[in-house]
Amino acid sequence: MAFGEFDLIDTYFTRRWPERDDVVLGVGDDAAILKVPEASELIIATDTMVAGVHFDKQTPARAVGHKVAAVNLSDLAAMGAEPAWLSLALTLPEMDHDWLTGFSHGLREICAYYDCQLIGGDTTKGPLSLTVTAHGFVPVGAALRRDGAKPGDWIYVSGSLGDAGLALAAQQQRVEISDSHYRRVLERLYFPSPRVALGQNLRDIASSAIDISDGLVADLQHILKSSNVGARIDVDEIPLSMALTGSVDADQAISYALCSGDDYELCFTVPESRRGVFDTAIARHPAKPTCIGRITSKAKDLRLERNGEVWEGMTGKNGYDHFS
Ligand SMILES: [Mg+2]
């Protein structure tokens, strides 16, 4: 008998995967049965990755498995949620056991790390594409949203920005960088770290939050639109890695951080009155949030500044055009 859907699930997606007490019935029936903790709300996010669109042939299968979970967990993190379950829809052109081995390893590693159980899904034949739905919990009313920023709130980002964009540019030979820098930034493109713990720590502290998937400028604008506010950003405060600043000139590095996507850091706002609590709660956080600016009352106006003046780097020949 041919290797079918049940063999595939049994071989790659069953043994040595995390198991949780709140899963009454997982993979194997028509649907899963799940217990949501009392006084919690369910937070759900879905993301699709299509071969040739979101990743290319040279992307290792393990990285695809990691990333398709990571991008969903990053959305949960931006809501302040604690991850619990994942479901997976897998469309495969053929039964490729090497690829499935790598893919399932990558997915299982990140699920194990966040104690996230695979609770079901679907497999079909067709052009390579993956859809993951992630489910998580927050205490009732505690979710972080995009619509709570107020004038005067401080704007923060976690980690550093622009590395994944630099990796992609180097891969596509739009920029030349050293092998050691390339290895560092490629790791960030392939294996992003969703800021799950930080997101949970920001409940009751942040007034709004979003994860940076499309670039700081694009994603911060979602907060500005939802909250009906503006922002001032000091471009020299944006956290940049040594791999980025060591590979391109200063304004280009800022442009990568502002405009290229795939960083999966969090951008969030903290009211002045919560700043002391924030500094105490977050001071030793590994994702080291950096304050980059402040929310203003000028609706949907995003002002990029250097020394209080409008920063012109985006329009220069080394700036924004680089990304168009
Ligand atoms: Mg998002």
Side-chain angles (χ1 to χ4, degrees):
M1 212 173 92
F3 192 91
E5 184 174 353
F6 291 106
D7 303 303
L8 186 148
I9 291 166
D10 194 49
T11 307
Y12 297 106
F13 299 105
T14 308
R15 270 164 276 159
R16 297 193 295 129
W17 283 72
E19 289 184 17
R20 294 172 56 98
D21 294 341
D22 51 19
V23 177
V24 180
L25 191 62
V27 176
D29 209 306
D30 294 300
I33 307 175
L34 307 162
K35 274 191 286 205
V36 179
E38 242 169 88
S40 293
E41 287 170 329
L42 188 58
I43 307 290
I44 302 182
T46 296
D47 255 298
T48 295
M49 283 174 54
V50 177
V53 180
H54 302 97
F55 62 97
D56 60 16
K57 278 204 187 82
Q58 51 180 318
T59 309
R62 188 174 143 249
V64 177
H66 174 95
K67 193 160 179 175
V68 73
V71 299
N72 278 283
L73 295 175
S74 178
D75 279 329
L76 292 191
M79 304 298 290
E82 175 193 339
W85 314 309
L86 281 188
S87 54
L88 167 71
L90 180 59
T91 304
L92 285 172
E94 65 197 334
M95 203 59 82
D96 179 341
H97 290 289
D98 285 344
W99 192 88
L100 277 164
T101 301
F103 172 79
S104 62
H105 277 182
L107 185 64
R108 194 187 63 217
E109 279 163 357
I110 186 167
C111 283
Y113 186 78
Y114 290 107
D115 191 27
C116 210
Q117 182 169 345
L118 189 69
I119 49 151
D122 190 26
T123 55
T124 46
K125 195 176 158 82
L128 182 60
S129 140
L130 315 112
T131 298
V132 161
T133 299
H135 310 69
F137 317 127
V138 290
V140 171
L144 301 171
R145 302 159 48 140
R146 299 176 180 184
D147 59 3
K150 296 275 187 307
D153 290 356
W154 299 93
I155 303 167
Y156 287 81
V157 293
S158 63
S160 64
L161 302 181
D163 286 355
L166 178 66
L168 197 63
Q171 201 169 53
Q172 295 171 347
Q173 287 160 354
R174 285 184 278 126
V175 60
E176 238 178 83
I177 67 176
S178 74
D179 286 348
S180 67
H181 288 157
Y182 184 57
R183 275 195 299 276
R184 285 203 95 103
V185 294
L186 196 62
E187 183 76 9
R188 294 211 58 197
L189 176 67
Y190 282 166
F191 297 98
S193 305
R195 300 306 186 185
V196 170
L198 177 62
Q200 289 173 55
N201 292 339
L202 289 174
R203 294 175 196 157
D204 306 321
I205 293 177
S207 51
S208 71
I210 191 167
D211 69 318
I212 303 176
S213 51
D214 299 328
L216 176 63
V217 165
D219 288 314
L220 176 58
Q221 270 166 346
H222 291 304
I223 289 184
L224 303 187
K225 195 164 173 235
S226 299
S227 300
N228 201 32
V229 291
R232 262 190 300 112
I233 299 294
D234 183 340
V235 297
D236 291 322
E237 296 298 330
I238 297 172
L240 308 171
S241 73
M242 277 159 63
L244 178 55
T245 54
S247 297
V248 295
D249 73 37
D251 278 355
Q252 271 183 327
I254 292 167
S255 297
Y256 274 106
L258 288 170
C259 299
S260 64
D262 267 347
D263 287 312
Y264 299 102
E265 296 294 347
L266 295 184
C267 174
F268 55 94
T269 56
V270 177
E272 175 68 26
S273 62
R274 303 302 286 160
R275 240 187 153 194
V277 179
F278 171 74
D279 284 342
T280 312
I282 308 298
R284 280 192 294 273
H285 207 283
K288 282 196 225 77
T290 306
C291 186
I292 59 166
R294 213 157 181 189
I295 294 293
T296 65
S297 57
K298 204 170 168 193
K300 290 176 229 169
D301 176 66
L302 176 55
R303 188 178 147 96
L304 302 171
E305 294 181 348
R306 168 174 280 158
N307 302 325
E309 304 287 321
V310 172
W311 178 66
E312 305 282 2
M314 297 269 280
T315 48
K317 72 173 168 56
N318 293 327
Y320 186 72
D321 292 347
H322 189 71
F323 296 96
S324 55

